[in-house]
Amino acid sequence: MSILIYKQRFFHPNHPKTAKSNYCHIGYIATRPGAVKNEGMNHGLFGKLRPGDLQEFSSWQEVARLARDLSRQKKNMYRSVISFKRDTALELGLTNQKAWQQYIEQHISTIAAQNHIKGKNLCWAAAVHNEKEHPHLHVVFWDRQQDILKNYTHPEIPNRIRRQLIKDTFAYKIKQFCALRDQFKSGITEITDRMVSEFEFYIKNLNPKSFKVFYKRFMNEDEDSLHRLPKHHLFQQNHVVALAEKLLQLRANMPKTGRLAYQLLPPAVKSMLDELVQELMKTNPYLAQMVEDYVQVKVQIAMLYDTDPERIANYREKYLTEAKKRIANRILGTVRTLIKMEREVSMEQNHRIRRQYLAEQLLVGILDMLESLIMNGNIDYDDKAKAMGTELSKQAKKEWFLKHRDKGVER
């Protein structure tokens, strides 16, 4: 169990979904809840794509596109995470993005060297996630001159990186610890792996329960991809309770017969459902922002073919309505589950608990759905923008648009 957690992995370059997965991962670390954003931007991605000064990228998409293209060239995109407990991060002064940027600049060479990447060939992008109990840094790195496909990383490599990071980060504390045990005979004695192990054991036993939670939370849960992020902290419990009651009211007003589909609802019930969607967006800023992100990426795609301001405004309204309908249909799916519950023999108390659980799962499902739509929209935009950049005739562009335009929302 460690005072510093380091994880490293990569998706096999030969897998057909690796390129898209790496694109999505860049978007995930740059924009997910808790990501510390660059000033004036909607993402927090920074790093170096070439030797020189660290830069805060103008858009995360430019890095994601590069990662996707290099993945298709069979280059390994390594995903790594460095994490500390909150009190340790505070002690190290890792309290803001600038401090984390300085920290990784000092230590990225250790990560590169252990993965046999020359400094001049190293490229990397990172983002800080200011989690309450374990602030951490996601780093994606690769060798731009890699010419040999790698399909395996020995577990000892991340272990060596972790030990070296501890040596470099906590050298002063390890020396103090060894001095107290009368084992540090000289100020120039090299810090060994044995010393690191003894130091970690000592730190862990200062508060073993706390470190056990920290280790389990970060090592046993995979949080480096979309849909694997626990989202329960993105909404308040009182909002979940209120939503459960709203769902019950909505169910009570549903038609007694017929299929529950948005377009088939009576006007009064449809109005009630629309109001619930609006209330969810009002009470959950992150949901509202994701709806806006979804609308924006769809508008970007439309603008590849049509830049008339009035029609763009119409597109924006259309896509906003589409997003709300998608959310409404998710809500209707939960109402169907409530109706199914009513057919079961169960106590009212259990019904109440299950309604709240369903409400919570509904919110998580809506956020997952919008994350996928936004990421797929970004990929779609990139592909179409690339195609439109070629020497297509006006008629060819029109045919491209008609072939790929939106086919409508789920019903």
Side-chain angles (χ1 to χ4, degrees), residues 7-48:
K7 295 200 300 182
Q8 178 179 306
R9 64 185 300 203
F10 65 85
F11 282 14
H12 198 297
N14 280 342
H15 195 282
K17 293 184 178 180
T18 292
K20 180 179 178 180
S21 175
N22 286 332
Y23 182 104
C24 292
H25 180 69
I26 297 291
Y28 160 81
I29 68 172
T31 63
R32 61 146 281 194
V36 180
K37 305 298 175 60
N38 299 332
E39 187 175 354
M41 301 183 193
N42 65 351
H43 70 90
L45 205 64
F46 59 87
K48 294 184 180 182

Side-chain angles (χ1 to χ4, degrees), residues 53-285:
D53 295 334
L54 179 146
Q55 66 175 123
E56 295 180 355
F57 301 111
S58 57
S59 76
W60 64 263
Q61 288 92 339
E62 64 175 299
V63 184
R65 285 192 292 268
L66 178 60
R68 181 180 58 178
D69 293 343
L70 291 175
S71 296
R72 289 170 175 167
Q73 297 172 26
K74 310 304 182 184
K75 288 182 169 57
N76 295 82
M77 297 287 114
Y78 295 94
R79 307 176 183 186
S80 65
V81 185
I82 301 172
S83 178
F84 301 99
K85 286 183 61 184
R86 169 65 62 181
D87 53 357
T88 304
L90 290 174
E91 183 180 350
L92 293 171
L94 298 174
T95 57
N96 55 55
Q97 189 190 49
K98 295 298 181 185
W100 278 100
Q101 288 176 352
Q102 293 173 6
Y103 180 84
I104 190 58
E105 272 207 283
Q106 293 169 3
H107 299 289
I108 190 67
S109 59
T110 294
I111 297 174
Q114 292 294 341
N115 284 282
H116 307 291
I117 301 175
K118 295 180 180 179
K120 64 180 181 179
N121 296 330
L122 174 67
C123 300
W124 59 276
V128 179
H129 291 178
N130 192 27
E131 292 285 348
K132 182 178 180 181
E133 297 301 329
H134 61 284
H136 56 275
L137 183 77
H138 285 267
V139 186
V140 178
F141 62 95
W142 62 93
D143 181 351
R144 61 178 177 174
Q145 295 298 324
Q146 177 185 340
D147 53 10
I148 299 176
L149 185 145
K150 300 178 182 179
N151 57 16
Y152 176 72
T153 295
H154 196 284
E156 187 55 29
I157 289 179
N159 285 336
R160 285 200 297 263
I161 292 172
R162 179 185 60 80
R163 286 194 294 267
Q164 189 60 50
L165 289 176
I166 291 173
K167 290 179 186 180
D168 297 339
T169 303
F170 300 102
Y172 71 101
K173 295 197 72 168
I174 296 174
K175 290 180 180 181
Q176 289 175 353
F177 163 70
C178 291
L180 288 173
R181 294 185 52 177
D182 197 29
Q183 295 178 2
F184 206 82
K185 306 299 183 182
S186 170
I188 61 172
T189 300
E190 181 183 2
I191 297 175
T192 65
D193 288 348
R194 181 181 61 80
M195 291 178 178
V196 170
S197 297
E198 291 176 355
F199 174 66
E200 286 189 286
F201 182 78
Y202 165 73
I203 292 295
K204 182 193 73 173
N205 282 281
L206 292 178
N207 192 341
K209 183 177 180 180
S210 174
F211 270 91
K212 185 176 181 180
V213 172
F214 171 54
Y215 187 84
K216 181 179 179 181
R217 173 77 174 85
F218 210 77
M219 292 302 291
N220 295 344
E221 294 185 16
D222 188 352
E223 290 188 357
D224 68 350
S225 297
L226 291 171
H227 306 312
R228 294 174 180 171
L229 167 69
K231 297 179 174 63
H232 302 83
H233 67 288
L234 299 178
F235 39 82
Q236 300 177 24
Q237 188 59 34
N238 61 321
H239 292 162
V240 174
V241 174
L243 174 58
E245 293 303 315
K246 293 283 186 181
L247 288 173
L248 190 60
Q249 294 172 21
L250 188 62
R251 187 272 169 270
N253 285 275
M254 283 292 159
K256 303 300 181 184
T257 59
R259 185 165 64 94
L260 290 185
Y262 183 83
Q263 72 272 21
L264 300 177
L265 293 177
V269 180
K270 186 179 291 186
S271 178
M272 182 182 297
L273 180 55
D274 290 340
E275 288 176 6
L276 180 53
V277 172
Q278 283 295 128
E279 185 175 340
L280 287 179
M281 293 173 57
K282 183 178 179 180
T283 57
N284 192 315

